[in-house]
Amino acid sequence: MVRAPIVWLAIVLMGGNGPATDPKTPAPKVLSASAHPSPNDSSSYDSDAERELLDLTNLVRSQAGLTLLKPDEGLTQAARLHAAGMAVQRQLSHQLSGEPALQQRLASTSTLHLDQAGENVAYAGSVEQAQESLMHSPPHRENLLNPGFNVAGFGVVRVGGLLYVAQDFGHSLPAYSPHQAGGAVSGSIAHMRQNANLPQLQWMDSDATQESACAMAKKDSLNTPVPHARYVVRYTTEQPESLPSAAIKAVDDRSVRTFSVGTCYARTSSYPNGVYWVTLALQ
């Protein structure tokens, strides 16, 4: 059996400390095919092959004791568009000519809050060949069996006897309302103060603190006017329950008595998949 060739994977990790960057991917391999589908033609997609690949992936994840991947419509759309684009341009690549990078592609089709994402691309004569080749390639296998991934979308385009495959993976985080995100920050503060045997702080509602968080999100920058307080900590995070070191230092101050917190979730140029902008003021 001739195994279909596959290009290397690309994994994108998106953290809250700064804009995520994509690692370099190898030069695409150019293919030849007699007919190529349009990325906007839904009839071009082989939904049976997509479902079979996802089932095979979840089978090996189950055998490895890992959480099964939940299919996501937005990630599936992104994978399908990329698979179709590869077929149109006759090449395998994680970023085709004129195409946005992985983060931007996933953000354009999915509403998920992702803090990690990865992608496999392949071409093969059958689903079985594609799965076998992916599993025998260490970096592709790492994506398929990544314990951090919990959602996925697979796209398959059939051109004659050839399948173009794109597999998009992600780690989806809970989506919080501004009040819920503020509550997560408050809960972490309470836990820290309790562990340090310090009196609990009083949470004060503050329009100024909330406006500060949303101003940062709108400007896509931490460099905005700050509310008046003894300590003001501004930061971005994908997980509101996690406090940065600057906030921990302020929270540990025994003389602090009250705090207010403002949060604003937004997708920006720096954070295509979204991040919480947080202003924490302590008095």
Side-chain angles (χ1 to χ4, degrees):
M1 178 182 295
V2 178
R3 190 173 297 164
I6 304 173
V7 299
W8 294 106
L9 60 81
I11 295 178
V12 180
L13 296 178
M14 293 165 282
N17 294 326
T21 59
D22 292 322
K24 293 181 179 178
T25 57
K29 297 184 178 182
V30 180
L31 311 176
S32 61
S34 58
H36 301 282
S38 165
N40 297 319
D41 182 6
S42 61
S43 65
S44 301
Y45 307 122
D46 191 331
S47 58
D48 290 337
E50 293 168 352
R51 186 163 45 250
E52 187 175 353
L53 276 171
L54 182 59
D55 289 343
L56 289 171
T57 298
N58 276 333
L59 176 61
V60 296
R61 287 179 68 90
S62 176
Q63 293 170 343
L66 301 174
T67 302
L68 302 187
L69 297 174
K70 181 179 179 181
D72 175 74
E73 183 177 349
L75 296 186
T76 299
Q77 183 181 354
R80 284 179 165 181
L81 289 172
H82 188 63
M86 290 192 299
V88 168
Q89 297 192 26
R90 305 186 184 189
Q91 65 180 30
L92 290 179
S93 175
H94 291 290
Q95 187 172 4
L96 298 164
S97 175
E99 182 184 49
L102 178 61
Q103 287 188 70
Q104 285 77 17
R105 287 195 279 113
L106 299 186
S108 69
T109 61
S110 175
T111 60
L112 296 177
H113 293 193
L114 300 175
D115 68 339
Q116 187 180 357
E119 180 176 80
N120 287 346
V121 294
Y123 67 90
S126 69
V127 168
E128 292 74 17
Q129 282 186 351
Q131 179 71 8
E132 181 183 0
S133 295
L134 290 165
M135 286 297 294
H136 280 84
S137 169
H140 292 84
R141 180 187 177 93
E142 182 179 347
N143 261 351
L144 294 169
L145 297 179
N146 188 324
F149 292 148
N150 57 11
V151 291
F154 291 179
V156 177
V157 172
R158 185 180 295 276
V159 180
L162 193 65
L163 299 179
Y164 290 80
V165 179
Q167 300 176 322
D168 288 338
F169 307 90
H171 178 246
S172 179
L173 295 169
Y176 296 115
S177 68
H179 182 75
Q180 290 171 329
V185 175
S186 176
S188 295
I189 291 174
H191 184 69
M192 287 181 53
R193 297 282 291 192
Q194 182 179 15
N195 287 345
N197 293 317
L198 295 173
Q200 290 298 324
L201 302 180
Q202 183 180 1
W203 184 0
M204 308 291 289
D205 288 330
S206 170
D207 291 340
T209 307
Q210 181 61 34
E211 290 169 1
S212 170
C214 291
M216 292 190 299
K218 184 176 181 180
K219 191 176 179 181
D220 193 15
S221 171
L222 297 175
N223 187 24
T224 60
V226 299
H228 177 74
R230 182 174 180 182
Y231 294 102
V232 178
V233 183
R234 297 175 296 168
Y235 58 97
T236 59
T237 181
E238 289 140 347
Q239 302 184 55
E241 59 272 17
S242 298
L243 299 179
S245 57
I248 293 173
K249 181 178 179 180
V251 170
D252 279 343
D253 189 332
R254 185 176 293 274
S255 66
V256 172
R257 293 289 181 268
T258 66
F259 76 96
S260 61
V261 58
T263 66
C264 192
Y265 182 85
R267 294 184 171 194
T268 66
S269 296
S270 299
Y271 301 96
N273 290 95
V275 75
Y276 294 94
W277 298 79
V278 182
T279 296
L280 177 61
L282 301 101
Q283 196 68 273

